């Protein structure tokens, strides 16, 4: 009995010479039943979901063309975006510089009016402060 417990315990691996427990007993009793349960081999047929190779090739080519079209459209969109951003940047710089020069022009006009309206007493103070 101690030998049987060791065989049924964890980690036991039967040798090729020993029968493998209950399965071995079934094989010894009825070897003809085992042959009848085997799956019959039938000639290979195409799976219903898989079409002919030409159909698969045409579908793959159409899919490739679709991906290529999406890729080219994406590249064109990126290029257009880059051009649009460059143009908007140039326009913004022109606008910023224009606004800056308009503000500077107002300051210049105010200084020019101050110099024209100077009195002889404050002439030295205004001119020396400006220079």
């Amino acid at each position: 009995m101690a030998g049987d417990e060791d065989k049924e315990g964890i980690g036991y691996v039967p040798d090729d010479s020993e029968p493998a427990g209950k399965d071995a007993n079934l094989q010894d009793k009825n070897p003809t039943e085992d042959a009848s349960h085997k799956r019959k081999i039938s000639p290979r047929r195409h799976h219903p979901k898989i079409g002919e190779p030409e159909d698969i090739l045409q579908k793959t080519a159409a899919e490739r063309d679709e991906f290529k079209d999406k890729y080219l459209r994406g590249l064109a969109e990126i290029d257009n975006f880059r051009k649009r951003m460059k143009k908007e940047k140039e326009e913004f710089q022109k606008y910023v510089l224009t606004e800056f020069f308009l503000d500077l022009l107002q300051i210049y006009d105010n200084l020019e009016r101050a110099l024209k309206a100077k009195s002889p007493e404050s002439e030295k103070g205004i001119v020396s402060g400006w220079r």
Side-chain angles (χ1 to χ4, degrees):
M1 281 274 194
D4 290 337
E5 289 177 10
D6 290 337
K7 289 182 180 179
E8 293 177 9
I10 298 174
Y12 172 73
V13 179
D15 292 339
D16 291 336
S17 62
E18 294 181 40
K22 295 177 184 177
D23 295 334
N25 292 337
L26 291 175
Q27 287 178 355
D28 291 340
K29 290 180 184 176
N30 239 340
T32 57
E33 283 183 17
D34 199 23
S36 67
H37 288 282
K38 287 186 178 178
R39 197 166 95 182
K40 295 180 181 178
I41 299 173
S42 62
R44 282 193 174 223
R45 287 186 267 166
H46 289 293
H47 194 275
K49 290 185 179 179
I50 299 175
E52 294 297 319
E54 293 83 19
D55 294 339
I56 295 172
L57 184 62
Q58 287 176 353
K59 287 179 183 178
T60 306
E63 201 173 321
R64 179 206 57 209
D65 293 341
E66 181 182 343
F67 287 133
K68 184 179 178 183
D69 183 54
K70 286 181 181 180
Y71 171 72
L72 292 175
R73 287 178 186 272
L75 285 179
E77 187 174 337
I78 290 171
D79 190 41
N80 290 340
F81 177 76
R82 201 176 292 137
K83 289 176 184 177
R84 186 173 59 244
M85 286 296 114
K86 183 179 177 183
K87 182 180 176 183
E88 287 179 6
K89 182 181 174 184
E90 290 171 357
E91 289 176 7
F92 180 73
Q93 287 176 345
K94 287 178 186 177
Y95 173 75
V96 168
L97 287 176
T98 304
E99 193 71 30
F100 174 73
F101 285 128
L102 286 175
D103 290 340
L104 209 71
L105 185 60
Q106 289 176 0
I107 294 170
Y108 177 75
D109 287 341
N110 287 336
L111 285 174
E112 190 175 2
R113 276 184 280 190
L115 286 175
K116 287 182 182 177
K118 66 182 176 184
S119 64
E121 303 153 358
S122 62
E123 182 178 327
K124 288 185 179 181
I126 294 176
V127 174
S128 63
W130 190 31
R131 291 183 189 194

